[in-house]
Amino acid sequence: MGKVGAGGGSPAGLSALLAGAGLLVLCVPGACGGGSCCPQLPPGSAPRWAATPGGFVGRGPRGRAAATPLPLLGRPLFAVAPGDRALSLERAPGTAASVAMAPRAGRRRRSEAEPGKADRGEGASRSPRGMLRDGGQPGPETLERDPDKATRFRMEELRLTSTTFALTGDSAHNQAMVHWSGHNSSVILILTKRYDYNLGSITESSLWRSTDYGTTYEKLNDKVGLKTILSYLYVCPTNKRKIMLLTDPEIESSLLISSDEGATYQKYRLNFYIQSLLFHPKQEDWILAYSQDQKLYSSAEFGRRWQLIQEGVVPNRFYWSVMGSNKEPDLVHLEARTIDGHSQYLTCRMQNCTEANRNKPFPGYIDPDSLIVQDDYVFVQLTSGGRPHYYVSYRRNAFAQMKLPKYALPKDMHVISTDENQVFAAVQEWNQNDTYNLYISDTRGVYFTLALENVQSSRGPEGNIMIDLYEVAGIKGMFLANKKIDNQVKTFITYNKGRDWRLLQAPDTDLRGDPVHCLLPYCSLHLHLKVSENPYTSGIIASRDTAPSIIVASGNIGSELSDSDISMFVSSDAGNTWRQIFEEEHSVLYLDQGGVLVAMKHTSLPIRHLWLSFDEGRSWSKYSFTSIPLFVDGVLGEPGEETLIMTVFGHFSHRSEWQLVKVDYKSIFDRRCAEEDYRPWQLHSQGEACIMGAKRVYKKRKSERKCMQGKYAGAMESEPCVCTEADFDCDYGYERHSNGQCLPAFWFNPSSLSKDCSLGQSYLNSTGYRKVVSNNCTDGVREQYTAKPQKCPGKAPRGLRIVTADGKLTAEQGHNVTLMVQLEEGDVQRTLIQVDFGDGVAVSYVNLSSMEDGIKHVYHNVGIFRVTVQVDNGLGSDSAVLYLHVTCPLEHVHLSLPFVTTKNKEVNATAVLWPSQVGTLTYVWWYGNNTEPLITLEGSISFKFTSEGMNTITVQVSAGNAILQDTKSIAVYEEFRSLRLSFSPNLDDYNPDIPEWRRDISRVIKKSLVEATGVPGEHILVAVLPGLPTAAELFVLPYQDPTGESKRSAEDLEQISELLIHKLNQNSVHFELKPGVQILVHAAHLTAAPLVDLTPTHSGSAMLMLLSVVFVGLAVFVIYKFKRKIPGINVYAQMQNEKEREMVSRVSPTESRPHIPQTELRRPGQLIDEKVDSQLIGSISIVAENQSTKEIPTYVNV
């Protein structure tokens, strides 16, 4: 998982198995300058042992998801495909193709061919011992040294029956995809393409068809359309006669469908672009198609008609139902993204996937890219509290959390195998970096025990995780793994699914028969376990179900695994003993059910020879398969059980056409094998015949017989063994000690009972052991080691916990919150559970089983609630408390503060919220030039500015998962003047009391004042206030030139103020609101707080005017005296209160929620609107609303 993923040991991108068709795709070196830039391929199957990053790629043979297209590496692979498989090859223009199965990335070649050998078609090399000759093989003198122990090579050249056909006219084509129908069919289809690496598209294609096993081919371009460019070839896995061709989406989006093995085609246009296909494992006409815009389509007519299933489907996360686990064969499992970006697990019928018919088997959301449906298991991942938690459903039952040892604390997990009703997983624990621990589960996939520690891992070319673990084909429970010990990587083998591991014994002699001095445990054989991404190609290690005793691999002898001095080794007794067969890497292929081994050398030079062995690699004969040396691009074997015809794909030169060499191996056999040609062979492990609880005897062809086996002989007989301690592994919570006993781990309490165990019922009491899954032993110690049913004793409750289902301590007002009650032990069936939600509501339950799905509750108010649970069963009681923070979504935040203040004067700033009650909040304040914020739990602060100028203040309010902010600028001056303005009553008739209107009217008022008085606009600031009647605040400000020197003194401000009052009293300031509607602006009546500076330096003219008014008793107009510091504070407080009333006032039908203008004062005379911003803070998804409002009061300076 890590998001649950498939474990692996396969380099991604070496080849890709196309969906349904089984198409192998290979690249030639140099195609992209050595990089992975080959075109991406439609997926069909995940690699058996490969995990993509952050993802969960399943290997299940039925109902598996299509794999993400992977760029291919610049090298091909040999591929002998047993069964109905196809091969895809690629070469780059201007480069020579190389023989398939070149050394893996990062491994150096042992040698290069001598120039003089090139004309013979074989690369010659010299080993450190100087014993290799032509083609890297031993000379005749090797056989004379120790003929009994040395690998024998027959240097006499023999000839294989072969024919060659050239795909004329395709010399410029650098890719080929091949399908061999097989199963008594002689039809082979080949699609060749020219991929332009500069354009990144296919420019030409040709379709070829053979009806005589590849002896001759017919070009079919006229049947599919001479101008049609084909991109991919698909074959129905359940009916090989049904073929599907996909056109290049750059030109058109169409399908060409054939029902007669590619003889004729019908064309169907698509209204979407296919990225991958997934065929049904049983129904030949059912297909799922994933489009490039993340939509999933289904077809019940083999692509002739399509129906949309679901939008927003996660790539590679869609699966057909698994037969046996799902009742409906047309059920589709998928992971889909919601509008807000969450992922959820959905199931629905392919032809009826409406919203009403979709099911959600896993409650709530899951981690993105984490769904796997594989065999009888479904896996998902859910991260909470910073830790990943993994859940499994067995046979589509309810999900259960996967239980690893308590302190494993996994960082990453990959599901490797789900064979035989058991989960094999690789887990990277908290203290691991480049290694994984192997864990194996019980049948339900819930409880996991350790199988092997510190298995080596690496990252593939495409970023996928590769685990150095290999499952040997044909022998149940047999694995090879590379374990890291003290910075050395060593190869281990197990025959009982990881219960016991041992090092590999090195061969007694080398290739020449010389003794090898290698003593365990200091020296052993180490193997490279990287397999081909496709299980139908030959990789660095290979085994076959039809040849259970034969394992071929590359590796080295020594204290650790090395990338140098690599040789080829074979075991013919299932890994007990090994022989060296080549000193250079070869691709070894299986013919005739493994009765014959075929070896081709890895070389960048053309070859015409291969090596055959009839005696499991003890001796080899040299055969030529072509008269002209060939650059080999790949090999495809005849589908079916016998595999006696092979097609070699290559080129005579990098400018020549594709050459297809059909090699018929039937001539190398004398006859069909009879019963007397076989001998019995017993499977064993270092002499121990009981493997996985049974003795198995197989049939093997006698090494001196060259007869053809035909169908697989299989096991001769199988006899169960008597159970011993070796047939049992440690149960969950137990660890194996040096004496072999399984004892409880320090964190595990063996006396803990199942939560479902109640007085009068029974439970299985573990003995500390559990039988290895699929082990067939009987009797013996089975009864002693098997868990025993016991009556459940009455027990007082202990270990009570109450948590939310999502692990969070927050809930949203008005929404369901699910609370889970967990009890470690106690008699739960007769237990009284009382839950008090802390809001005046309480409920009672009679047992925990009625609460398995959680307790749902809705809080109607915000706040911190104390949720208590009390459990009592008559034998005792326990209680637990949860403090739950209930919030409601915070929609707006408005920063309220004076927008003009004096230097060194304390300023109050308040964050006004909408809605006003949202729960627990945190306020983060940024002001002035401070680099560190001030964090408070209160929504208001006080501060002062020590210098003049414009200052920005920002408040961020954190409420749950949301963080909103508002920014405002405040002007700081040594002195200023202010005056309240009023207007003609008719202005109120046109006042909608919204921020935009106030902003525009402020701009008009200022313009009128400038025109009436001639005062420069830099001195005037006007702000229309919220509410009715309409009022405004006029500020007279000092103006500074760019040099920073003030152009106006205090006396100048007094003169400007008197001029403004004079013009206002003369009704000289007015503006036209609309045609025919004139608005007068005048000074408001005198308030109780005089708007003059109360310091001794009052203006004499202002005082004289005031006295004159008092003496003559005239009350014609109101005089405001001006101040520099104190006056105006009451006004600001009034404005804040007015704003609060505005925020909670009823909105108009056209205004669904309060709108706060987004303006910012940069300097007098300039306003800049800020925008709403969305940002991510930490790992929390946040909507940060940057409002920068200047609404209370609104002011404009233009």
Side-chain angles (χ1 to χ4, degrees):
M1 300 182 191
K3 297 173 185 99
V4 187
S10 159
L14 299 184
S15 60
L17 180 63
L18 298 183
L23 300 180
L24 304 181
V25 183
L26 310 169
C27 292
V28 169
C32 312
S36 298
C37 61
C38 298
Q40 292 186 335
L41 304 175
S45 166
R48 175 159 188 153
W49 302 113
T52 55
F56 196 24
V57 180
R59 184 199 59 82
R62 301 176 301 278
R64 62 193 174 199
T68 305
L70 296 176
L72 306 182
L73 290 183
R75 69 178 180 91
L77 293 175
F78 273 123
V80 175
D84 47 298
R85 298 299 168 184
L87 176 69
S88 229
L89 310 115
E90 181 169 359
R91 63 167 180 166
T95 62
S98 74
V99 67
M101 195 55 203
R104 67 188 177 104
R107 183 185 304 167
R108 68 176 180 86
R109 295 181 188 274
R110 289 180 52 85
S111 61
E112 296 296 336
E114 298 174 8
K117 302 289 185 179
D119 58 344
R120 302 193 317 188
E122 300 284 353
S125 60
R126 182 176 301 276
S127 74
R129 301 181 181 91
M131 68 178 218
L132 297 185
R133 289 191 174 181
D134 181 54
Q137 304 306 334
E141 70 273 16
T142 302
L143 301 178
E144 300 175 0
R145 302 193 62 167
D146 194 338
D148 294 330
K149 295 184 178 181
T151 301
R152 298 182 296 276
F153 291 88
R154 181 179 177 183
M155 302 308 297
E156 176 188 356
E157 182 176 311
L158 304 175
R159 176 74 182 178
L160 292 170
T161 303
S162 65
T163 59
T164 302
F165 186 88
L167 302 184
T168 306
D170 288 356
S171 60
H173 291 193
N174 51 13
Q175 294 179 1
M177 308 179 74
V178 188
H179 166 69
W180 195 335
S181 293
H183 301 285
N184 299 321
S185 173
S186 61
V187 174
I188 301 177
L189 288 174
I190 300 179
L191 172 63
T192 65
K193 302 175 290 183
R194 179 183 180 183
Y195 184 84
D196 191 311
Y197 294 97
N198 295 321
L199 298 177
S201 62
I202 302 169
T203 57
E204 296 178 14
S205 67
S206 296
L207 183 65
W208 300 81
R209 185 173 186 262
S210 172
T211 58
D212 53 9
Y213 291 95
T215 303
T216 60
Y217 290 84
E218 175 190 3
K219 199 170 187 177
L220 303 182
N221 283 24
D222 56 337
K223 294 187 178 181
V224 299
L226 293 175
K227 295 184 178 180
T228 300
I229 298 179
L230 303 175
S231 57
Y232 297 106
L233 169 67
Y234 296 85
V235 182
C236 176
T238 54
N239 184 353
K240 303 304 180 297
R241 295 182 59 84
K242 291 189 174 183
I243 310 296
M244 183 179 292
L245 296 171
L246 182 63
T247 61
D248 183 11
E250 297 286 338
I251 308 300
E252 61 176 328
S253 182
S254 300
L255 287 176
L256 288 91
I257 298 174
S258 173
S259 299
D260 52 10
E261 289 189 285
T264 60
Y265 293 89
Q266 292 177 310
K267 192 172 186 177
Y268 297 87
R269 294 194 177 274
L270 302 173
N271 58 1
F272 62 95
Y273 296 101
I274 293 178
Q275 180 171 316
S276 63
L277 294 178
L278 183 64
F279 290 78
H280 194 276
K282 297 293 183 181
Q283 300 292 331
E284 62 185 54
D285 289 334
W286 293 4
I287 309 174
L288 296 178
Y290 186 74
S291 67
Q292 294 180 4
D293 56 354
Q294 298 187 342
K295 296 179 181 178
L296 188 64
Y297 296 84
S298 68
S299 174
E301 303 176 50
F302 199 71
R304 292 173 176 85
R305 291 185 180 86
W306 295 92
Q307 178 177 332
L308 177 65
I309 293 182
Q310 175 71 33
E311 297 182 3
V313 177
V314 178
N316 312 324
R317 299 294 176 242
F318 51 93
Y319 309 82
W320 283 112
S321 61
V322 176
M323 309 308 294
S325 295
N326 294 105
K327 296 179 180 179
E328 305 90 356
D330 62 342
L331 191 69
V332 178
H333 303 256
L334 58 92
E335 179 184 332
R337 289 193 179 98
T338 62
I339 298 177
D340 54 2
H342 293 99
S343 287
Q344 55 186 354
Y345 168 31
L346 304 176
T347 61
C348 63
R349 310 288 286 271
M350 63 177 291
Q351 298 293 324
N352 188 20
C353 197
T354 61
E355 182 69 31
N357 293 308
R358 296 187 192 120
N359 293 319
K360 298 179 181 179
F362 186 83
Y365 298 126
I366 64 176
D367 285 358
D369 203 29
S370 72
L371 171 68
I372 271 194
V373 180
Q374 185 165 306
D375 295 324
D376 287 335
Y377 302 90
V378 179
F379 303 93
V380 297
Q381 175 180 321
L382 180 63
T383 299
S384 63
R387 292 183 183 177
H389 302 279
Y390 308 105
Y391 295 85
V392 61
S393 168
Y394 177 60
R395 293 184 175 175
R396 309 305 180 261
N397 292 315
F399 278 88
Q401 186 170 349
M402 299 165 67
K403 301 291 186 181
L404 294 167
K406 185 174 183 179
Y407 295 106
L409 305 178
K411 298 189 297 185
D412 189 23
M413 178 186 287
H414 300 288
V415 173
I416 294 175
S417 169
T418 53
D419 296 338
E420 301 174 338
N421 295 321
Q422 190 173 39
V423 180
F424 214 163
V427 177
Q428 188 171 66
E429 302 186 9
W430 63 274
N431 57 349
Q432 293 178 305
N433 294 316
D434 59 351
T435 60
Y436 282 73
N437 289 348
L438 296 182
Y439 284 89
I440 197 162
S441 78
D442 61 349
T443 300
R444 295 191 304 127
V446 175
Y447 293 97
F448 286 78
T449 56
L450 183 66
L452 184 65
E453 291 183 297
N454 296 320
V455 177
Q456 178 71 12
S457 71
S458 58
R459 194 166 291 276
E462 306 302 327
N464 57 304
I465 298 297
M466 299 183 295
I467 309 296
D468 272 14
L469 177 71
Y470 180 79
E471 182 177 10
V472 178
I475 301 179
K476 181 173 57 178
M478 183 176 175
F479 289 84
L480 292 162
N482 284 332
K483 178 179 180 178
K484 193 171 186 179
I485 304 175
D486 297 330
N487 292 323
Q488 290 185 326
V489 178
K490 302 175 182 287
T491 301
F492 287 78
I493 190 170
T494 180
Y495 292 87
N496 52 12
K497 273 196 170 181
R499 195 268 188 206
D500 300 291
W501 297 84
R502 63 173 175 81
L503 293 166
L504 295 180
Q505 177 65 58
D508 294 332
T509 62
D510 62 12
L511 193 63
R512 301 176 300 172
D514 292 336
V516 174
H517 301 286
C518 184
L519 298 178
L520 292 173
Y522 311 104
C523 174
S524 59
L525 175 64
H526 310 285
L527 303 178
H528 292 281
L529 304 181
K530 301 293 189 297
V531 299
S532 165
E533 181 184 80
N534 191 304
Y536 300 95
T537 64
S538 176
I540 296 177
I541 183 170
S543 60
R544 292 289 181 271
D545 288 327
T546 56
S549 64
I550 303 176
I551 308 171
V552 182
S554 66
N556 65 279
I557 299 172
S559 60
E560 63 177 323
L561 182 66
S562 172
D563 283 335
S564 61
D565 293 330
I566 298 172
S567 299
M568 298 299 300
F569 297 89
V570 64
S571 174
S572 56
D573 57 3
N576 286 282
T577 61
W578 295 81
R579 295 187 305 277
Q580 185 180 17
I581 54 176
F582 298 104
E583 280 206 342
E584 290 184 307
E585 284 188 284
H586 284 64
S587 180
V588 180
L589 316 172
Y590 290 70
L591 290 181
D592 188 32
Q593 309 298 345
V596 178
L597 299 179
V598 181
M600 284 187 179
K601 181 187 174 184
H602 293 176
T603 176
S604 59
L605 297 175
I607 62 173
R608 61 187 182 91
H609 297 118
L610 51 77
W611 296 85
L612 295 180
S613 175
F614 288 85
D615 54 6
E616 300 173 342
R618 293 179 178 85
S619 62
W620 296 83
S621 298
K622 186 177 184 180
Y623 286 81
S624 63
F625 65 92
T626 177
S627 58
I628 303 175
L630 185 73
F631 290 101
V632 177
D633 296 325
V635 179
L636 178 65
E638 175 189 11
E641 296 181 347
E642 296 184 358
T643 313
L644 295 176
I645 297 177
M646 185 182 295
T647 300
V648 181
F649 302 87
H651 300 80
F652 292 138
S653 71
H654 66 269
R655 298 182 182 275
S656 68
E657 293 88 359
W658 292 91
Q659 303 293 327
L660 311 181
V661 182
K662 172 188 172 184
V663 183
D664 192 339
Y665 291 95
K666 293 178 182 177
S667 61
I668 66 175
F669 298 101
D670 300 332
R671 55 185 170 79
R672 287 269 182 180
C673 291
E675 188 66 28
E676 61 270 15
D677 295 313
Y678 293 93
R679 62 179 177 86
W681 174 78
Q682 169 131 23
L683 173 65
H684 66 94
S685 169
Q686 300 296 297
E688 173 57 53
C690 286
I691 303 294
M692 293 292 288
K695 296 178 181 179
R696 292 180 178 85
V697 178
Y698 295 84
K699 283 184 179 181
K700 273 194 175 188
R701 192 187 59 193
K702 296 177 180 178
S703 59
E704 66 274 11
R705 307 294 172 87
K706 290 190 176 183
C707 58
M708 183 170 57
Q709 294 190 109
K711 292 187 177 180
Y712 172 50
M716 189 180 205
E717 62 182 30
S718 179
E719 176 187 349
C721 298
V722 174
C723 291
T724 66
E725 190 269 342
D727 296 305
F728 290 82
D729 205 349
C730 292
D731 204 351
Y732 174 78
Y734 291 80
E735 297 174 339
R736 190 176 302 279
H737 288 244
S738 57
N739 59 2
Q741 288 186 325
C742 294
L743 300 176
F746 75 92
W747 50 265
F748 183 68
N749 181 11
S751 64
S752 62
L753 305 178
S754 168
K755 69 175 183 178
D756 296 324
C757 189
S758 180
L759 186 64
Q761 296 181 338
S762 298
Y763 74 101
L764 290 176
N765 185 20
S766 175
T767 62
Y769 298 84
R770 70 183 183 195
K771 191 178 178 183
V772 175
V773 175
S774 301
N775 187 294
N776 297 320
C777 73
T778 59
D779 300 329
V781 299
R782 184 177 62 174
E783 184 67 22
Q784 175 185 347
Y785 281 73
T786 301
K788 306 296 190 300
Q790 288 189 2
K791 292 292 184 181
C792 298
K795 205 164 190 179
R798 189 183 68 84
L800 181 65
R801 295 178 63 224
I802 181 168
V803 296
T804 58
D806 58 5
K808 299 178 179 178
L809 297 177
T810 60
E812 190 171 331
Q813 178 189 13
H815 291 72
N816 267 324
V817 57
T818 303
L819 300 171
M820 310 295 294
V821 176
Q822 301 171 350
L823 186 64
E824 286 187 10
E825 62 179 42
D827 183 5
V828 297
Q829 295 299 325
R830 293 186 175 89
T831 298
L832 176 65
I833 303 102
Q834 295 178 314
V835 181
D836 187 340
F837 298 103
D839 61 348
V841 179
V843 294
S844 297
Y845 297 87
V846 293
N847 58 64
L848 279 179
S849 60
S850 60
M851 305 163 56
E852 287 183 348
D853 296 331
I855 308 170
K856 299 187 184 315
H857 184 66
V858 177
Y859 285 90
H860 299 286
N861 298 307
V862 299
I864 303 177
F865 295 88
R866 186 176 187 266
V867 184
T868 60
V869 58
Q870 179 82 19
V871 176
D872 191 338
N873 66 358
L875 300 175
S877 63
D878 198 3
S879 61
V881 177
L882 171 69
Y883 294 96
L884 186 66
H885 294 242
V886 178
T887 63
C888 70
L890 180 61
E891 298 182 19
H892 291 289
V893 58
H894 169 78
L895 180 58
S896 175
L897 78 162
F899 48 88
V900 181
T901 187
T902 55
K903 186 173 65 174
N904 295 321
K905 190 66 179 180
E906 202 168 73
V907 176
N908 295 321
T910 301
V912 182
L913 310 179
W914 176 263
S916 59
Q917 298 296 324
V918 294
T920 307
L921 301 173
T922 302
Y923 299 84
V924 182
W925 304 86
W926 306 80
Y927 59 92
N929 295 323
N930 292 356
T931 58
E932 296 293 333
L934 175 65
I935 301 176
T936 68
L937 297 178
E938 299 294 334
S940 61
I941 61 171
S942 298
F943 52 90
K944 62 179 64 176
F945 297 98
T946 59
S947 59
E948 289 187 298
M950 300 303 301
N951 290 273
T952 300
I953 303 169
T954 297
V955 60
Q956 294 178 330
V957 184
S958 175
N961 290 337
I963 294 182
L964 275 67
Q965 76 176 33
D966 188 17
T967 299
K968 180 175 287 186
S969 294
I970 182 171
V972 180
Y973 295 102
E974 186 72 31
E975 56 184 352
F976 63 90
R977 304 291 185 269
S978 64
L979 178 67
R980 181 67 63 89
L981 302 178
S982 59
F983 306 92
S984 303
N986 58 344
L987 181 60
D988 294 344
D989 300 334
Y990 300 95
N991 185 355
D993 199 19
I994 61 175
E996 293 89 341
W997 185 88
R998 290 190 288 271
R999 185 165 55 245
D1000 290 337
I1001 293 298
S1002 298
R1003 186 180 299 110
V1004 173
I1005 296 170
K1006 177 179 178 180
K1007 181 179 179 182
S1008 301
L1009 286 168
V1010 171
E1011 292 176 350
T1013 62
V1015 175
E1018 290 81 0
H1019 287 289
I1020 298 176
L1021 191 64
V1022 177
V1024 176
L1025 307 179
L1028 295 174
T1030 307
E1033 188 79 10
L1034 169 63
F1035 287 89
V1036 179
L1037 306 174
Y1039 171 63
Q1040 291 183 339
D1041 60 16
T1043 63
E1045 296 181 359
S1046 176
K1047 287 189 174 182
R1048 300 286 180 176
S1049 62
E1051 291 76 12
D1052 293 332
L1053 293 180
E1054 294 290 351
Q1055 294 177 5
I1056 295 174
S1057 302
E1058 293 175 3
L1059 178 59
L1060 289 170
I1061 293 174
H1062 179 70
K1063 291 295 184 180
L1064 289 169
N1065 291 337
Q1066 290 183 344
N1067 295 331
S1068 300
V1069 182
H1070 55 80
F1071 61 91
E1072 187 177 48
L1073 184 65
K1074 58 186 299 185
V1077 180
Q1078 290 287 333
I1079 304 298
L1080 291 177
V1081 183
H1082 47 79
H1085 294 289
L1086 186 65
T1087 64
L1091 298 181
V1092 296
D1093 196 316
L1094 298 181
T1095 59
T1097 58
H1098 290 301
S1099 169
S1101 58
M1103 292 296 296
L1104 180 61
M1105 182 179 297
L1106 180 60
L1107 291 175
S1108 299
V1109 172
V1110 173
F1111 280 114
V1112 300
L1114 297 177
V1116 179
F1117 58 89
V1118 178
I1119 300 175
Y1120 281 80
K1121 297 185 178 182
F1122 295 86
K1123 61 179 181 177
R1124 291 179 295 178
K1125 298 181 180 180
I1126 299 177
I1129 293 180
N1130 292 335
V1131 176
Y1132 301 150
Q1134 284 183 342
M1135 291 189 294
Q1136 176 178 332
N1137 294 334
E1138 289 174 321
K1139 176 58 182 181
E1140 292 174 351
R1141 291 195 297 271
E1142 178 194 19
M1143 293 290 289
V1144 299
S1145 64
R1146 186 173 302 172
V1147 296
S1148 66
T1150 61
E1151 189 177 8
S1152 62
R1153 62 181 182 180
H1155 178 81
I1156 301 178
Q1158 302 167 3
T1159 60
E1160 180 181 356
L1161 180 64
R1162 299 302 184 190
R1163 63 175 179 81
Q1166 179 184 9
L1167 289 174
I1168 299 178
D1169 293 342
E1170 300 288 345
K1171 297 181 178 179
V1172 175
D1173 187 21
S1174 178
Q1175 55 184 292
L1176 187 68
I1177 298 181
S1179 60
I1180 304 176
S1181 180
I1182 300 165
V1183 176
E1185 190 168 327
N1186 183 2
Q1187 298 178 353
S1188 297
T1189 62
K1190 298 297 172 280
E1191 166 51 26
I1192 304 181
T1194 303
Y1195 63 93
V1196 177
N1197 191 355
V1198 296

